Amino acid sequence: MSMVSHELKTPLTSLKGYLQILEQRAKKAQESTSILMHDKANSQIKKMITMINGFLNVSRLDSGKIHIEKKNFDITSLFKEADEEARSTIFSHQVIFTEAESVILNADRDKVGQVIHNFVSNAVKYSPEGSQVLVSNKIKNGELLVEVKDQGRGIKPQDKDKLFDRFYRVVNDDIISGFGIGLYLCAEIIARHQGKIGVESEFGAGSTFWFSLPIYAVIA
Ligand code: ADP
């Protein structure tokens, strides 16, 4: 799987390069339709790269290669980065990051960032355009609790526990592309940090995905 994933990425990278050249030409000639089409093609390529990366991650998990590199970092800076990323890439929803607790974690910074990113992408993917996605954190029971709350369609009780299983997707999700690996990977990452992960939801009334991690130190 890992080899196939790499093989799939190579032609995509060159496709992206050619598209960039076309974009420059279209911009020079001020061809608005071509620019629009370029943007659409580019976003499809991005989707494909995300899927391939997902497969690559699963294959790494299979071979026990997903390794966690822990170091001390302040969650405030990670929240700030995730906020900036959301601001520059998500225009369809109002993604709001509330002020972060100044807490030091001893964890894999990139992987924790990946979990936040995944929760936010799902919140956007499974809720109506223009709705609000709230990302917050607080200290609870001596642990750092991160929550991503959306105003989307919510989750039925029978699906709740299964969402974190590998390849699990809610039955009628065929229309929205995905493979059902994102949350599985999140659960693996959090488990490898001795943390907890879960979701609170009422069907039809939004969901709150959360995870909690042990705190290394609290900055006064
Ligand atoms: P994917 O989104 O690629 O299908 P995930 O593992 O990220 O895979 O999610 C598994 C399933 O959980 C999704 O197919 C969807 O049915 C459900 N889901 C995830 N996030 C949300 C959310 N914020 N609101 C409603 N359903 C969700």
Side-chain angles (χ1 to χ4, degrees), residues 118-119 121-127 148 150 152-155 159 162-165 167-173 176-186 199 201 206-209:
N118 235 302
F119 278 8
S121 315
N122 276 349
V124 165
K125 201 161 139 187
Y126 297 105
S127 64
V148 178
D150 66 52
R153 59 182 187 188
I155 292 148
D159 290 319
K162 296 186 208 138
L163 292 189
F164 297 93
D165 291 351
F167 300 133
Y168 188 81
R169 306 199 73 217
V170 173
V171 181
N172 57 8
D173 270 346
I176 305 176
S177 67
F179 285 111
I181 21 189
L183 289 178
Y184 166 69
L185 274 170
C186 292
V199 59
S201 178
S207 327
T208 303
F209 279 83

